[in-house]
C-alpha cells in the first residue's frame, strides 16, 4: 500500500488534550467525562524529531495537525514542531484545525510568521457569542475572537469552518459576513455528518451533557437546506442493499489517502493510514476497546510505533493487510469495515459536508 519514499503528506495528531468538551467528540462521553481508554498522550518536539527525520520532512508536500481527540493549540510544543518542519522544508504546506479558544496573541502572531503564505489555520467556530459554546462546550468566545484577530493581523491565512445545527443555522450569513470583515480567506458552512448513523437507524438528536453530567444542549439537525445530502442517500442504500451493513459488506473502496501518499500519526506516535482507522481504537462506549475490528490489523502497538523512527512501521505489514482486506466479501470475513464506512464508493458524508 505504501512505501516510505512515496509519502507526501502527514496528518499529525499532536495531542489528546483539549480544553473543550464537545459532546460528539470521541475524547468525551457526550461531554460528561474524558474517554476512559485514553491516557492524554502528547508528542513533544523531541518525539517529533525522533519520528520525522530531516530527509523525510524534505520529501513532504504537506503536514497538518488535526486529529481525533485533542486540539493542537493546547499541546506544549506545537509551535516548535511547526518551526521544525518549516526549517527543513520552506516550501511545504502547513496547516492546523483548532477551536481557537487558547493561547495569547503573541503565540498566534508567531504561528502566522512560521506559516507565511504556505500555510493556513482552519478555525472551527460553530456560531457566534451566544451559540458557539453550545457545541464547543468550554470554549470562550472572547478567546476565539482574540486568537483569530491576532493570527489574521499578523498576516496569517485562515478559513472559518461553521458546523450547522438547528440552534445556529440562523447565524450562518452573519458569521460569513464577520469572516469577510476580519479577513478570512474562506468561510465554509459545513453540513455536518454527525447525524448520520453508521447503522441503518436514524439519528435526529444528540443530548449533550456537562462535565457534571447535567443535560446541556439537545443538539438537533438543521433545516433540510443545511443538512448533509448523504442523509437521503443513506435511505436509498438501505432500500438497495437491505441494510447499511450489507452495503459495507459489498461496496468497493476508494481510499481517500492512498493516492495522496498520506499517513496519520497519533499522539501516541502510532502510524496508521488515516484518522478514521485510528479513530476506531478507543471508542469510549466499549468496556474493552479492543473489540473493535481495527485491533485485528494492529495487533501489537509496538509494531506501528514510530517513536524510534518511522521507517520500521513500513515493514510491519499493516498497510498491506488493510488494503488486502478490501477484496474480501463481507466485514465479518475480514474486510475492514471502517474503510467501507468512510471510503465506500457510494456513500461519502465527509465530502458532502463541504458541498453546497
Amino acid at each position: 500500500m505504501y512505501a516510505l519514499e512515496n509519502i507526501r503528506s502527514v496528518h499529525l495528531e499532536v495531542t489528546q488534550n483539549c480544553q473543550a468538551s464537545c459532546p460528539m467528540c470521541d475524547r468525551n462521553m457526550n461531554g460528561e467525562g474524558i474517554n476512559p481508554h485514553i491516557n492524554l498522550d502528547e508528542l513533544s518536539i523531541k518525539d517529533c524529531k525522533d519520528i520525522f527525520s530531516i530527509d523525510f520532512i524534505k520529501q513532504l508536500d504537506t503536514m497538518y495537525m488535526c486529529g481525533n481527540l485533542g486540539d493542537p493549540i493546547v499541546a506544549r510544543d506545537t509551535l516548535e514542531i511547526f518551526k521544525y518542519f518549516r526549517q527543513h522544508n520552506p516550501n511545504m504546506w502547513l496547516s492546523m484545525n483548532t477551536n481557537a479558544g487558547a493561547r495569547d496573541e503573541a503565540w498566534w502572531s508567531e504561528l502566522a510568521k512560521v506559516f507565511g503564505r504556505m500555510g493556513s489555520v482552519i478555525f472551527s467556530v460553530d456560531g457566534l457569542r451566544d451559540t458557539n459554546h453550545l457545541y464547543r462546550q468550554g470554549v470562550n468566545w472572547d478567546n476565539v475572537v482574540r486568537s483569530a484577530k491576532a493570527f489574521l493581523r499578523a498576516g496569517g491565512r485562515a478559513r472559518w469552518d461553521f458546523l450547522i445545527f438547528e440552534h445556529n443555522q440562523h447565524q450562518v450569513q452573519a458569521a460569513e459576513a464577520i469572516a469577510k470583515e476580519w479577513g478570512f480567506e474562506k468561510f465554509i458552512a459545513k453540513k455536518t455528518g454527525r447525524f448520520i448513523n453508521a447503522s441503518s437507524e436514524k439519528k435526529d438528536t444528540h443530548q449533550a451533557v456537562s462535565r457534571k453530567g447535567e443535560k446541556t444542549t439537545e443538539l438537533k439537525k438543521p433545516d433540510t437546506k443545511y443538512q448533509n445530502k448523504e442523509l437521503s442517500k443513506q435511505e436509498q442504500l438501505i432500500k438497495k442493499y437491505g441494510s447499511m451493513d450489507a452495503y459495507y459488506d459489498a461496496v468497493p473502496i476508494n481510499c481517500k489517502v492512498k493516492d495522496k501518499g498520506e499517513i496519520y500519526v497519533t499522539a501516541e506516535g502510532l502510524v496508521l493510514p488515516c484518522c478514521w482507522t485510528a479513530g476506531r481504537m478507543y471508542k469510549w462506549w466499549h468496556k474493552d476497546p479492543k473489540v473493535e475490528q481495527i485491533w485485528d490489523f494492529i495487533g501489537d502497538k509496538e509494531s506501528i510505533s514510530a517513536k524510534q523512527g518511522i521507517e520500521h512501521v513500513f515493514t510491519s505489514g499493516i498497510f498491506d493487510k488493510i488494503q488486502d482486506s478490501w477484496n474480501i466479501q463481507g466485514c465479518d470475513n475480514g474486510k475492514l469495515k471502517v474503510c467501507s464506512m468512510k471510503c465506500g464508493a457510494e456513500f461519502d458524508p465527509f465530502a458532502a459536508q463541504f458541498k453546497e
Side-chain angles (χ1 to χ4, degrees):
M1 185 175 183
Y2 288 111
L4 180 66
E5 61 271 18
N6 295 331
I7 301 304
R8 295 294 177 266
S9 179
V10 170
H11 179 181
L12 179 61
E13 177 186 58
V14 71
T15 186
Q16 293 177 346
N17 289 289
C18 187
Q19 89 284 24
S21 55
C22 304
M24 289 174 160
C25 173
D26 278 348
R27 186 178 184 273
N28 303 286
M29 297 184 291
N30 294 329
E32 178 176 357
I34 296 173
N35 184 333
H37 303 310
I38 66 173
N39 297 314
L40 302 181
D41 290 292
E42 183 169 301
L43 296 173
S44 66
I45 180 63
K46 180 185 181 302
D47 291 329
C48 287
K49 287 180 177 180
D50 290 340
I51 293 170
F52 306 109
S53 70
I54 292 172
D55 285 342
F56 178 73
I57 290 173
K58 287 180 177 179
Q59 78 184 39
L60 296 176
D61 297 325
T62 303
M63 188 278 276
Y64 65 102
M65 293 187 188
C66 183
N68 291 319
L69 301 169
D71 193 302
I73 59 173
V74 302
R76 183 187 63 187
D77 291 342
T78 290
L79 192 56
E80 294 306 311
I81 293 166
F82 276 127
K83 287 180 178 179
Y84 173 62
F85 276 80
R86 175 60 79 221
Q87 176 187 356
H88 298 296
N89 191 332
N91 299 314
M92 73 183 302
W93 184 263
L94 299 175
S95 180
M96 179 179 76
N97 293 61
T98 178
N99 64 52
R103 296 292 185 175
D104 59 21
E105 293 183 20
W107 190 93
W108 284 101
S109 297
E110 185 68 17
L111 182 69
K113 294 174 185 175
V114 174
F115 279 11
R117 302 309 293 168
M118 293 298 294
S120 177
V121 170
I122 294 91
F123 288 85
S124 298
V125 182
D126 309 323
L128 301 177
R129 179 182 294 276
D130 60 331
T131 55
N132 182 57
H133 64 282
L134 298 179
Y135 179 71
R136 302 281 167 180
Q137 295 186 146
V139 176
N140 180 280
W141 176 255
D142 291 329
N143 290 347
V144 171
V145 174
R146 183 191 65 211
S147 301
K149 287 188 173 181
F151 182 75
L152 291 161
R153 190 165 53 242
R157 305 179 69 173
R159 186 180 95 200
W160 182 333
D161 279 7
F162 184 114
L163 277 176
I164 310 171
F165 298 94
E166 183 190 66
H167 66 257
N168 65 8
Q169 62 185 356
H170 63 290
Q171 296 177 324
V172 171
Q173 286 75 28
E176 185 169 14
I178 291 171
K180 185 176 181 180
E181 176 188 340
W182 289 359
F184 281 85
E185 291 187 341
K186 195 168 187 179
F187 176 89
I188 294 182
K190 286 180 68 176
K191 298 172 177 63
T192 180
R194 285 162 171 77
F195 292 101
I196 295 179
N197 200 311
S199 70
S200 301
E201 299 173 3
K202 289 187 176 182
K203 181 179 181 179
D204 295 323
T205 65
H206 186 96
Q207 179 63 59
V209 295
S210 70
R211 287 290 190 221
K212 296 179 180 179
E214 299 166 343
K215 290 183 179 180
T216 54
T217 305
E218 185 181 21
L219 302 167
K220 298 179 180 179
K221 289 189 299 187
D223 292 344
T224 302
K225 71 173 183 176
Y226 288 132
Q227 289 180 14
N228 192 299
K229 296 300 186 288
E230 299 297 276
L231 271 172
S232 59
K233 188 181 290 185
Q234 187 178 34
E235 296 174 0
Q236 297 168 18
L237 289 174
I238 292 170
K239 290 179 180 178
K240 178 179 178 180
Y241 289 93
S243 69
M244 288 305 296
D245 280 338
Y247 162 75
Y248 298 140
D249 285 341
V251 69
I253 307 299
N254 295 333
C255 180
K256 290 182 171 66
V257 298
K258 178 187 173 186
D259 290 342
K260 294 194 298 183
E262 183 169 299
I263 56 171
Y264 181 75
V265 181
T266 76
E268 294 178 86
L270 308 179
V271 182
L272 286 149
C274 64
C275 61
W276 294 300
T277 47
R280 304 308 300 184
M281 291 177 65
Y282 301 122
K283 295 301 186 185
W284 62 262
W285 52 84
H286 294 313
K287 184 176 181 180
D288 177 3
K290 292 189 177 182
V291 300
E292 283 282 343
Q293 188 188 18
I294 188 61
W295 288 100
D296 297 338
F297 294 80
I298 293 173
D300 178 9
K301 285 197 295 186
E302 285 302 310
S303 67
I304 60 167
S305 174
K307 286 285 189 77
Q308 306 304 318
I310 203 169
E311 295 81 6
H312 84 95
V313 180
F314 288 84
T315 64
S316 70
I318 188 168
F319 298 115
D320 292 330
K321 284 193 291 184
I322 288 174
Q323 181 170 313
D324 290 345
S325 82
W326 301 342
N327 297 317
I328 298 171
Q329 278 296 111
C331 297
D332 287 343
N333 297 323
K335 182 182 184 182
L336 185 51
K337 186 175 182 178
V338 67
C339 296
S340 292
M341 291 165 60
K342 302 300 182 181
C343 294
E346 297 180 52
F347 186 59
D348 194 350
F350 174 78
Q353 293 182 107
F354 304 94
K355 295 179 180 178
E356 294 295 331

